Amino acid sequence: MSSGWDQVTLGEVTDQVRRPVEVAPLLEYPLLGVRWYGNGPFQREVGVGGVMKAKRVFQVQSGDFIYNRLFAWKGSFAEALRSDHGCFVSNEFPTFRITDSRI
């Protein structure tokens, strides 16, 4: 840990948000991923209801803090960009709003 940095829990500086959307047949859902080692979010494929397996996805808004549960150990954390607003993630990507000015 670098000197001058406070170590805090995620819950001290964020609130978890969930914006569930039921997947509807034939509708398109642009999906987000999170690059490893803090290299930011990226827009993946567009999922199509009835084709993709998910029954529910979660909408992301710009400024959300998201991470990939499966690759958290690889630093898969990001802040959603304006261009990511309205995209979707699976339940494997918890989403948070930053509530503390230290971030």
Side-chain angles (χ1 to χ4, degrees):
M1 184 70 98
S2 300
S3 65
W5 291 85
D6 294 332
Q7 184 172 354
V8 298
T9 65
L10 190 58
E12 289 179 68
V13 293
T14 65
D15 287 328
Q16 187 168 10
V17 294
R18 294 174 61 86
R19 300 180 198 94
V21 173
E22 296 299 318
V23 172
L26 304 179
L27 288 183
E28 294 185 344
Y29 300 89
L31 301 173
L32 278 184
V34 179
R35 291 182 187 92
W36 296 349
Y37 309 117
N39 285 314
F42 66 97
Q43 293 187 20
R44 298 173 34 194
E45 73 277 7
V46 174
V48 177
V51 177
M52 59 188 212
K53 293 180 183 179
K55 302 278 188 239
R56 180 173 58 176
V57 290
F58 298 87
Q59 192 169 48
V60 173
Q61 295 180 358
S62 62
D64 282 353
F65 174 76
I66 56 178
Y67 77 93
N68 182 335
R69 267 189 240 263
L70 301 173
F71 293 104
W73 63 279
K74 287 197 175 246
S76 188
F77 299 90
E79 182 178 356
L81 308 172
R82 283 186 184 159
S83 59
D84 302 324
H85 188 86
C87 288
F88 298 90
V89 293
S90 75
N91 63 332
E92 293 299 330
F93 293 80
T95 307
F96 302 84
R97 290 304 291 172
I98 297 169
T99 59
D100 194 297
S101 63
R102 292 178 290 177
I103 303 296

